[in-house]
Amino acid sequence: MYGGDFMAKEELELFKDFSSGMKSKESYNFTLSELKTISGKDLLEINSDDIENYLNTLKEKGQAKTTIRRKYHQLFSFYNYLFEEMIIGSNPLKKVPVPKASKQIKIERTLTFENLELLLEILENYFPYRDYVFTLLLATTGIRLGEGLSLKWSDFFIDDNGLVGATVSSGNRKRYIRIFDFVWEKLNTYREDILQVNESYLKENYYVFIGEKQLNNYKTYPGIVKPVTGDWIRKTYVKACEIAEISLVTAKDIRHTYTMLTMKMGLPGEDIKNQVGWSSTDFLNRYHGVVEQLDTPINKHMEEYFKKIKS
């Protein structure tokens, strides 16, 4: 276990100055303490060879490429700060290449149809109904975790053809997604039976997925009620996967699964891009080579596919 206790007084003071106002202090602290432990040197004595040895040690330990890349950038930032403050003569990471992280999506980051069905079943039977409906929404739309948690009732609409949709936002970009009828029914059941609010809420900017302790406030002061957090959803998935006895599932895994299913079914790349909120269809290249491994039906509409979950 690494931590601040591994740093000398001078190192701690430097770290405090460097990390002032930073939200990810613990992560940086861990990385720096890990580097110090593996190298056997004080942080101000680290050179390029020490960095390369540290990164190679992480690889040998089997750490993910993305994790190693993140730690590289954390160290680069820290030592760049020391260089700019004229505490060290040069940044030792400038001579070390940035570790490459594969952008190819792996089969392990997707769910089989059986595991997705099992996860939803566990959520419906053992957890708040909200968590089941939220996950069903992710699975049938491919939206991001943050986009789902930010949804408000006024974001939903019914078009001239009677189809239900929703406006989702990511940064300054907005897009429209289709909400399948059976998912809309679940959302309304959640609103009526769990939140116990009427249809007037559908016109208001009130968050959809809120904490259970906020139910009373939601009926009287709904405008001040915030949504559940991403951490809450992640913890829920950890518990649900343990009960289901399946590998850990994240919201991003569900999004990857949606993307691969739409590709497997032969849907146009432009349509997939618009649905999941990409800037380019080039992102589809990350999924090639994996799509063929999915044991899922083809040539069927996504709505029919997901309907099987509750049939």
Side-chain angles (χ1 to χ4, degrees):
M1 188 71 173
Y2 307 106
D5 292 342
F6 281 81
M7 293 189 192
K9 184 177 179 180
E10 182 183 8
E11 294 170 333
L12 275 174
E13 291 301 320
L14 289 172
F15 178 71
K16 287 179 181 178
D17 292 339
F18 162 72
S19 62
S20 177
M22 187 181 291
K23 293 183 178 180
S24 53
K25 289 183 182 179
E26 290 186 7
S27 179
Y28 274 84
N29 189 354
F30 182 94
T31 299
L32 289 168
S33 298
E34 186 181 49
L35 169 64
K36 184 175 179 180
T37 300
I38 290 175
S39 67
K41 290 184 175 182
D42 289 338
L43 295 176
L44 296 181
E45 298 175 349
I46 296 293
N47 57 39
S48 299
D49 290 338
D50 297 322
I51 297 294
E52 289 187 344
N53 178 63
Y54 167 70
L55 297 175
N56 288 331
T57 300
L58 298 185
K59 291 178 184 176
E60 292 171 2
K61 289 184 176 182
Q63 290 198 17
K65 291 181 179 180
T66 51
T67 300
I68 297 174
R69 186 183 178 91
R70 171 177 57 79
K71 291 181 177 181
Y72 171 92
H73 286 298
Q74 287 178 331
L75 293 175
F76 190 99
S77 179
F78 175 70
Y79 281 103
N80 218 43
Y81 166 79
L82 297 183
F83 171 70
E84 290 176 352
E85 293 295 317
M86 293 185 289
I87 298 171
I88 58 176
S90 62
N91 183 343
L93 282 94
K94 285 197 172 180
K95 295 181 179 180
V96 181
V98 180
K100 294 183 179 181
S102 174
K103 294 183 178 180
Q104 195 72 18
I105 303 300
K106 297 181 179 179
I107 189 67
E108 290 80 8
R109 297 299 306 276
T110 67
L111 293 108
T112 62
F113 180 79
E114 292 76 17
N115 282 357
L116 177 57
E117 181 178 6
L118 183 57
L119 175 65
L120 287 165
E121 181 180 328
I122 293 295
L123 290 171
E124 184 176 19
N125 293 333
Y126 296 97
F127 291 83
Y129 191 65
R130 171 204 62 214
D131 299 338
Y132 161 69
V133 176
F134 179 76
T135 305
L136 185 63
L137 181 68
L138 294 185
T140 55
T141 61
I143 60 176
R144 300 176 176 89
L145 174 64
E147 292 172 340
L149 294 177
S150 299
L151 278 173
K152 299 179 178 180
W153 288 111
S154 58
D155 291 327
F156 295 97
F157 60 87
I158 299 177
D159 69 9
D160 294 338
N161 296 316
L163 300 177
V164 182
T167 305
V168 295
S169 302
S170 181
N172 296 322
R173 295 164 52 191
K174 291 185 177 181
R175 70 183 188 282
Y176 304 103
I177 60 171
R178 168 77 190 282
I179 305 296
F180 298 142
D181 290 342
F182 74 97
V183 179
W184 182 236
E185 290 175 6
K186 301 293 184 184
L187 281 162
N188 276 304
T189 297
Y190 163 68
R191 175 180 57 80
E192 295 169 357
D193 296 351
I194 307 302
L195 300 180
Q196 296 182 353
V197 295
N198 58 39
E199 290 185 352
S200 65
Y201 274 56
L202 296 176
K203 302 177 182 178
E204 306 293 341
N205 291 322
Y206 303 149
Y207 288 109
V208 176
F209 300 103
I210 66 165
E212 292 179 293
K213 294 182 179 179
Q214 296 291 324
L215 290 177
N216 288 331
N217 284 339
Y218 201 64
K219 297 174 186 175
T220 52
Y221 306 105
I224 67 171
V225 175
K226 301 298 181 183
V228 293
T229 65
D231 282 340
W232 181 271
I233 296 298
R234 281 185 277 272
K235 291 176 182 177
T236 296
Y237 286 171
V238 169
K239 294 177 183 177
C241 290
E242 288 177 353
I243 295 173
E245 297 183 344
I246 60 176
S247 299
L248 177 62
V249 173
T250 67
K252 189 171 289 187
D253 296 336
I254 296 174
R255 177 172 161 86
H256 287 323
T257 302
Y258 174 90
T259 303
M260 292 193 191
L261 289 173
T262 55
M263 290 177 66
K264 185 70 174 178
M265 293 175 185
L267 300 182
E270 191 69 22
D271 290 351
I272 298 174
K273 183 203 79 171
N274 293 336
Q275 176 74 10
V276 300
W278 288 336
S279 59
S280 169
T281 55
D282 290 344
F283 288 105
L284 289 170
N285 295 329
R286 299 174 63 188
Y287 295 85
H288 287 305
V290 181
V291 173
E292 292 76 10
Q293 301 179 53
L294 294 179
D295 183 21
T296 55
I298 59 174
N299 301 323
K300 290 187 178 180
H301 193 280
M302 285 295 293
E303 182 171 13
E304 294 302 318
Y305 177 83
F306 281 103
K307 273 184 177 180
K308 289 183 178 181
I309 292 176
K310 299 309 295 178
S311 62

